[in-house]
Coordinates of all heavy atoms in Angstrom, one line a residue:
Chain H
A969 N 85.3 126.3 -18.4 CA 86.6 126.5 -17.8 C 86.7 127.9 -17.2 O 87.2 128.1 -16.1 CB 87.7 126.3 -18.8
D970 N 86.1 128.9 -17.8 CA 86.2 130.3 -17.3 C 85.3 130.5 -16.1 O 85.3 131.6 -15.5 CB 86.0 131.3 -18.4 CG 84.7 131.2 -19.1 OD1 83.9 130.3 -18.6 OD2 84.4 131.9 -20.0
A971 N 84.4 129.6 -15.8 CA 83.6 129.7 -14.6 C 84.2 129.2 -13.4 O 83.7 129.3 -12.3 CB 82.2 129.0 -14.8
R972 N 85.4 128.6 -13.6 CA 86.1 128.0 -12.4 C 86.6 129.1 -11.4 O 87.2 130.1 -11.9 CB 87.4 127.3 -12.9 CG 87.1 125.9 -13.4 CD 88.4 125.1 -13.7 NE 88.1 124.2 -14.7 CZ 88.9 124.0 -15.8 NH1 89.9 124.8 -16.0 NH2 88.6 123.1 -16.7
P973 N 86.3 128.9 -10.1 CA 86.8 129.9 -9.2 C 88.3 129.8 -9.1 O 88.9 128.7 -9.3 CB 86.2 129.5 -7.9 CG 85.8 128.0 -8.0 CD 85.6 127.8 -9.5
K974 N 89.0 130.8 -8.7 CA 90.4 130.8 -8.5 C 90.7 130.3 -7.1 O 90.0 130.7 -6.2 CB 91.0 132.2 -8.7 CG 92.5 132.3 -8.9 CD 92.9 133.6 -9.4 CE 94.4 133.9 -9.4 NZ 95.2 133.2 -8.4
A975 N 91.7 129.4 -6.9 CA 92.0 129.0 -5.6 C 92.9 130.0 -4.9 O 94.1 130.1 -5.2 CB 92.7 127.6 -5.7
R976 N 92.3 130.8 -4.1 CA 93.1 131.9 -3.4 C 92.4 132.3 -2.1 O 91.2 132.0 -1.9 CB 93.4 133.1 -4.3 CG 92.2 134.1 -4.4 CD 91.1 133.6 -5.3 NE 90.1 134.6 -5.5 CZ 88.8 134.4 -5.4 NH1 88.3 133.1 -5.2 NH2 87.9 135.3 -5.6
L977 N 93.1 133.0 -1.2 CA 92.6 133.4 0.0 C 92.3 134.9 0.0 O 93.1 135.6 -0.7 CB 93.5 133.1 1.2 CG 93.5 131.8 1.8 CD1 94.5 131.6 2.9 CD2 92.1 131.6 2.4
P978 N 91.3 135.4 0.7 CA 91.2 136.9 0.8 C 92.4 137.5 1.4 O 93.1 136.9 2.2 CB 90.0 137.0 1.8 CG 89.2 135.7 1.7 CD 90.3 134.7 1.4
N979 N 92.6 138.8 1.1 CA 93.8 139.5 1.5 C 93.9 139.6 3.0 O 92.9 139.9 3.7 CB 93.6 141.0 0.9 CG 94.9 141.7 1.0 OD1 96.0 141.2 1.2 ND2 94.8 143.0 0.8
G980 N 95.1 139.3 3.6 CA 95.3 139.4 5.0 C 95.0 138.1 5.7 O 95.1 138.0 7.0
F981 N 94.7 137.0 5.0 CA 94.4 135.7 5.7 C 95.5 134.7 5.2 O 96.0 134.9 4.1 CB 93.1 135.2 5.3 CG 92.0 136.0 6.0 CD1 91.4 137.1 5.4 CD2 91.6 135.7 7.3 CE1 90.4 137.8 6.0 CE2 90.6 136.4 7.9 CZ 90.0 137.5 7.3
A982 N 95.8 133.7 6.0 CA 96.9 132.8 5.7 C 96.6 131.4 6.2 O 95.9 131.2 7.2 CB 98.2 133.3 6.3
D983 N 97.0 130.4 5.4 CA 97.0 129.1 5.9 C 98.2 128.8 6.8 O 99.3 129.5 6.6 CB 97.1 128.1 4.7 CG 95.9 128.3 3.8 OD1 94.8 128.2 4.2 OD2 96.1 128.4 2.5
V984 N 98.1 127.9 7.7 CA 99.2 127.6 8.6 C 99.6 126.2 8.4 O 98.8 125.2 8.7 CB 98.8 127.8 10.1 CG1 100.0 127.6 11.0 CG2 98.2 129.1 10.3
P985 N 100.8 125.9 7.8 CA 101.2 124.6 7.5 C 101.6 123.8 8.7 O 101.8 124.4 9.8 CB 102.3 124.8 6.5 CG 102.8 126.1 6.7 CD 101.7 126.9 7.3
A986 N 101.9 122.5 8.5 CA 102.1 121.6 9.6 C 103.2 122.0 10.6 O 102.9 122.0 11.8 CB 102.4 120.2 9.0
D987 N 104.3 122.4 10.1 CA 105.4 122.6 11.1 C 105.1 123.8 12.0 O 105.3 123.8 13.2 CB 106.8 122.7 10.4 CG 106.7 123.7 9.2 OD1 105.6 124.1 8.9 OD2 107.8 124.1 8.7
E988 N 104.6 124.9 11.3 CA 104.3 126.1 12.1 C 103.2 125.8 13.1 O 103.2 126.2 14.2 CB 103.8 127.1 11.1 CG 104.2 128.5 11.4 CD 103.8 129.4 10.2 OE1 104.4 129.2 9.1 OE2 103.0 130.3 10.3
L989 N 102.2 125.0 12.6 CA 101.0 124.7 13.4 C 101.4 123.8 14.6 O 100.9 124.1 15.7 CB 100.0 124.0 12.5 CG 98.6 123.9 13.1 CD1 98.0 125.2 13.6 CD2 97.7 123.3 12.1
S990 N 102.2 122.9 14.4 CA 102.7 122.0 15.5 C 103.4 122.9 16.6 O 103.1 122.7 17.8 CB 103.7 121.0 15.0 OG 103.0 120.1 14.1
A991 N 104.2 123.8 16.1 CA 104.9 124.7 17.1 C 103.8 125.5 17.8 O 104.0 125.7 19.0 CB 105.9 125.6 16.3
R992 N 102.8 126.0 17.1 CA 101.8 126.9 17.8 C 101.0 126.1 18.8 O 100.8 126.6 19.9 CB 100.9 127.5 16.7 CG 100.0 128.5 17.4 CD 98.7 128.7 16.7 NE 98.9 129.5 15.5 CZ 97.9 129.6 14.6 NH1 96.7 129.0 14.8 NH2 98.1 130.3 13.5
L993 N 100.6 124.9 18.4 CA 99.8 124.1 19.3 C 100.6 123.7 20.5 O 100.1 123.8 21.7 CB 99.3 122.8 18.6 CG 98.3 123.0 17.5 CD1 98.0 121.7 16.8 CD2 97.0 123.6 18.0
S994 N 101.9 123.4 20.3 CA 102.7 123.0 21.5 C 102.9 124.3 22.4 O 102.9 124.2 23.6 CB 104.0 122.4 21.0 OG 105.1 122.9 21.7
M995 N 103.0 125.5 21.8 CA 103.1 126.7 22.6 C 101.9 126.9 23.4 O 101.9 127.3 24.6 CB 103.5 127.9 21.8 CG 103.4 129.2 22.6 SD 103.9 130.6 21.6 CE 105.7 130.3 21.5
L996 N 100.7 126.8 22.7 CA 99.4 127.1 23.3 C 99.2 126.1 24.5 O 98.8 126.5 25.6 CB 98.3 126.9 22.3 CG 98.0 128.1 21.5 CD1 96.9 127.8 20.4 CD2 97.5 129.3 22.4
E997 N 99.6 124.9 24.3 CA 99.5 123.9 25.4 C 100.3 124.3 26.6 O 99.8 124.2 27.7 CB 100.0 122.5 24.8 CG 99.3 121.3 25.3 CD 99.8 120.1 24.5 OE1 99.3 119.9 23.4 OE2 100.6 119.4 25.0
T998 N 101.5 124.7 26.3 CA 102.4 125.2 27.4 C 101.8 126.4 28.2 O 101.8 126.5 29.4 CB 103.8 125.5 26.9 OG1 104.2 124.4 26.2 CG2 104.7 125.8 28.0
L999 N 101.3 127.4 27.4 CA 100.8 128.6 28.0 C 99.6 128.3 28.8 O 99.4 128.7 30.0 CB 100.4 129.6 26.9 CG 101.6 130.3 26.1 CD1 101.0 131.1 25.0 CD2 102.4 131.1 27.0
L1000 N 98.7 127.5 28.2 CA 97.4 127.2 29.0 C 97.7 126.3 30.2 O 97.0 126.5 31.2 CB 96.4 126.4 28.0 CG 96.0 127.3 26.8 CD1 94.9 126.5 26.0 CD2 95.5 128.7 27.2
A1001 N 98.7 125.5 30.1 CA 99.1 124.7 31.3 C 99.6 125.6 32.4 O 99.3 125.5 33.6 CB 100.2 123.7 31.0
S1002 N 100.3 126.7 32.1 CA 100.7 127.7 33.1 C 99.5 128.4 33.6 O 99.5 128.6 34.9 CB 101.7 128.7 32.4 OG 102.7 128.1 31.7
Y1003 N 98.6 128.8 32.8 CA 97.4 129.5 33.3 C 96.6 128.6 34.3 O 96.1 129.1 35.3 CB 96.5 129.9 32.1 CG 97.1 130.9 31.1 CD1 96.4 131.3 30.0 CD2 98.4 131.4 31.2 CE1 96.9 132.2 29.1 CE2 98.9 132.3 30.3 CZ 98.2 132.7 29.2 OH 98.7 133.6 28.3
R1004 N 96.5 127.4 33.9 CA 95.8 126.4 34.7 C 96.5 126.3 36.1 O 95.8 126.2 37.1 CB 95.8 125.0 34.1 CG 94.5 124.6 33.4 CD 94.6 123.2 33.0 NE 94.4 122.2 34.1 CZ 93.3 122.0 34.7 NH1 92.2 122.5 34.2 NH2 93.2 121.1 35.7

Side-chain angles (χ1 to χ4, degrees):
Chain H
D970 56 4
R972 279 186 209 132
K974 194 167 171 334
R976 81 284 186 222
L977 273 177
N979 194 15
F981 291 90
D983 299 308
V984 187
D987 49 349
E988 217 171 296
L989 192 54
S990 298
R992 186 207 287 170
L993 291 176
S994 134
M995 172 177 289
L996 276 174
E997 216 170 278
T998 307
L999 290 176
L1000 300 185
S1002 310
Y1003 297 179
R1004 255 188 79 76

